[in-house]
Amino acid sequence: MSTIDIGLAQDLTHSRYAIVLSNGKRLILFRLPRISRPDVPAVHDWVYYAMEAECPHAGGPMSDAHIDIEDSSYIASCPWHAYDFSLDTGESSYGVKACTYPVHQQDGRVLLRFAEAEDVQLSTIKAVSEEVKFKHGPRETAAGLPKYLSDDATLCDWCVHILNTADPEQKIELTTHLFSTFATREQSPTPMSIGAGIVRAPDVPPRQDLREVKPGQMPKAGKGGSVKSRINMLHALANIEQWAIDLAIDICVRFATFQTSASTTSASQSLPRTFYYDWLKVANDEAKHFSLLRGRLEELGSHFGALPVHHGLWESATRTAHDLRARISVIALVHEARGLDINPLTIEKFRVARDLESVDVMTIIHNDEITHVTTGHRWLTWICEQEDTDPVQVFRINVQNHFRGAVKGPFNKDARQQAGMDGSYYENLVGLPGGKGEVIAGG
């Protein structure tokens, strides 16, 4: 057995870390708030758990696991197919078991017990990409600071506030703050109130100093061989990611009063709190993506806002503003799923151009977006389970009624399958007449 020194507890400030051991074993270390138990005295404010980095079911990235509490224990659910694992034992309600590793604190250091081999040491430890590249710089006046709401503000208050924030830098700061606050308070005696039906989301979120054109009038990105071409590609992607922040925030407030339709086996139900957690996590990821793309643009000598942008994604949001099933179907399972098809091609263009920094950024985005499509698929499936309907048919009907154009390939079938979508969802599927060109990827 090996006792592996992970480092000083005071230096571990992130919620999860990717660990590689000297024998090549890859683990995920979780740092989570201690769950209060009357019979157990609190020695430290934070507790640590370690498990294998890939889900034993289908290899999903446990670095992106959704964390819940059940029976006073933490549960990690795989982002691909929602297989749940106890972080204490590794056991799952699905009958498979993940490898977990005991972690404890001693003299201010975090130590991991690894029983599989002797003399194993820590090779690398890296915070899982949850960092947002804030662009602060010197702020001369308070006008550059985002406005933070009071502690008694509801989730819907926060969502409307973020949607109405035009400054993209303030938007990403507020989004990451909301996700962190909501997630932290979920583990406390005072979770954030949802505030359903009290405030109204804007019809179109405002934008700051951007020149809007129709999607078909956007500058041609080219093949990525020149700096100018790569700037065009990154700028277009940054625009999509900014809209994606708003889409994930909007789904929380616009559909907060949503009720499933009663079926013969189930009464009408409101959305559970995990719905809001999941979409705030998506919004937090999109804020991270925007910040990474904006930072890369600046490294290449440009900036966000230097080129025209389009609002095509929000046009789809407007067409689906009346129904949550339609919103998830079109935004998450058409637009964002299209990103799974396009991202590897974009990554390869950057790789051929030897722009490895952009490759790294796009790889982070692609891996995250598989989990976003999974989130859409999971919640559409949940709604259909409550209503005794077929999610494939519900999806296809909503696309036919609320999406303009055809759902075109080529498809990244492996990535779509990882997210829960087989060919029965998207093959031979055509929406309303009037769609032109490629499906906008992202959202």
Side-chain angles (χ1 to χ4, degrees):
M1 186 184 81
S2 302
T3 299
I4 301 169
D5 189 340
I6 301 300
L8 285 169
Q10 66 185 30
D11 293 336
L12 299 174
T13 58
H14 295 267
S15 63
R16 53 192 77 187
Y17 291 83
I19 289 175
V20 179
L21 304 182
S22 57
N23 64 349
K25 184 73 173 181
R26 298 194 307 129
L27 309 177
I28 298 298
L29 178 75
F30 294 96
R31 173 181 177 266
L32 300 169
R34 178 174 295 280
I35 301 172
S36 298
R37 297 179 183 174
D39 57 328
V40 180
V43 180
H44 304 287
D45 292 333
W46 299 93
V47 289
Y48 299 84
Y49 301 90
M51 70 179 300
E52 57 187 314
E54 287 82 31
C55 173
H57 166 237
M62 296 308 294
S63 58
D64 294 320
H66 174 74
I67 303 297
D68 288 305
I69 296 177
E70 293 182 8
D71 298 328
S72 298
S73 297
Y74 280 113
I75 303 295
S77 297
C78 175
W80 284 2
H81 304 110
Y83 273 55
D84 56 336
F85 301 95
S86 165
L87 288 179
D88 289 311
T89 66
E91 294 177 349
S92 170
S93 63
Y94 289 89
V96 295
K97 186 173 183 179
C99 294
T100 57
Y101 302 87
V103 184
H104 67 281
Q105 294 186 56
Q106 181 176 318
D107 298 328
R109 305 195 72 84
V110 176
L111 305 176
L112 183 150
R113 292 210 310 269
F114 188 77
E116 298 173 13
E118 295 183 355
D119 300 322
V120 177
Q121 299 177 342
L122 178 67
S123 179
T124 64
I125 179 170
K126 183 178 181 181
V128 172
S129 181
E130 54 192 354
E131 288 284 322
V132 174
K133 288 188 175 181
F134 294 121
K135 180 187 175 182
H136 285 163
R139 280 176 168 157
E140 303 295 337
T141 66
L145 297 170
K147 176 186 175 183
Y148 288 85
L149 303 184
S150 63
D151 290 343
D152 60 354
T154 69
L155 171 63
C156 289
D157 289 333
W158 271 104
C159 289
V160 170
H161 178 49
I162 292 170
L163 289 169
N164 283 321
T165 299
D167 184 322
E169 301 306 321
Q170 294 185 14
K171 186 183 291 287
I172 63 175
E173 287 193 50
L174 293 170
T175 298
T176 57
H177 174 80
L178 173 58
F179 173 64
S180 175
T181 302
F182 185 89
T184 300
R185 288 181 59 178
E186 283 297 277
Q187 321 302 338
S188 78
T190 57
M192 185 180 290
S193 174
I194 300 300
I198 299 173
V199 291
R200 184 176 182 273
D203 292 335
V204 181
R207 287 293 181 261
Q208 183 183 67
D209 302 328
L210 295 178
R211 179 161 57 95
E212 179 191 357
V213 298
K214 296 294 184 183
Q217 298 173 342
M218 288 287 292
K220 298 298 182 184
K223 297 182 179 180
S226 66
V227 172
K228 179 181 178 181
S229 174
R230 295 199 295 280
I231 287 173
N232 284 347
M233 295 164 68
L234 292 166
H235 195 280
L237 290 165
N239 174 57
I240 287 171
E241 296 297 343
Q242 188 180 8
W243 283 112
I245 298 170
D246 286 329
L247 287 164
I249 292 293
D250 184 80
I251 203 172
C252 292
V253 58
R254 191 173 300 277
F255 300 105
T257 59
F258 176 85
Q259 297 271 333
T260 61
S261 299
S263 68
T264 56
T265 59
S266 178
S268 177
Q269 294 193 46
S270 302
L271 294 167
R273 293 184 68 87
T274 48
F275 173 89
Y276 302 101
Y277 177 95
D278 282 359
W279 289 106
L280 291 178
K281 174 64 166 66
V282 171
N284 189 74
D285 287 347
E286 307 294 15
K288 173 184 68 178
H289 299 169
F290 174 84
S291 74
L292 293 172
L293 291 163
R294 186 258 295 125
R296 187 65 191 133
L297 281 170
E298 293 171 355
E299 291 167 358
L300 291 174
S302 186
H303 64 276
F304 183 66
L307 298 172
V309 299
H310 68 79
H311 297 353
L313 269 180
W314 199 260
E315 293 174 6
S316 286
T318 300
R319 286 195 294 271
T320 58
H322 65 289
D323 183 71
L324 179 57
R325 305 166 196 80
R327 172 63 64 87
I328 293 175
S329 296
V330 172
I331 296 298
L333 303 185
V334 174
H335 287 295
E336 185 125 30
R338 185 58 177 158
L340 306 187
D341 307 329
I342 299 299
N343 289 338
L345 305 178
T346 304
I347 290 170
E348 185 58 26
K349 289 179 181 179
F350 288 138
R351 196 184 309 279
V352 169
R354 302 193 179 188
D355 185 349
L356 299 185
E357 292 83 0
S358 296
V359 168
D360 290 343
V361 168
M362 287 305 302
T363 300
I364 290 170
I365 291 173
H366 179 65
N367 290 336
D368 284 347
E369 288 185 349
I370 294 175
T371 71
H372 299 175
V373 178
T374 303
T375 297
H377 178 266
R378 178 164 62 248
W379 285 107
L380 183 64
T381 300
W382 179 85
I383 293 170
C384 292
E385 286 175 348
Q386 313 313 309
E387 299 178 338
D388 287 342
T389 55
D390 178 3
V392 174
Q393 291 304 311
V394 170
F395 166 75
R396 292 181 72 90
I397 289 170
N398 276 292
V399 172
Q400 291 163 356
N401 291 337
H402 305 295
F403 176 75
R404 293 196 180 278
V407 177
K408 299 178 180 178
F411 300 112
N412 185 344
K413 294 185 177 180
D414 289 342
R416 285 172 175 256
Q417 184 67 54
Q418 289 173 5
M421 297 180 69
D422 60 26
S424 64
Y425 278 87
Y426 53 82
E427 289 175 351
N428 303 313
L429 181 57
V430 178
L432 298 168
K436 299 178 181 179
E438 282 291 320
V439 176
I440 298 169

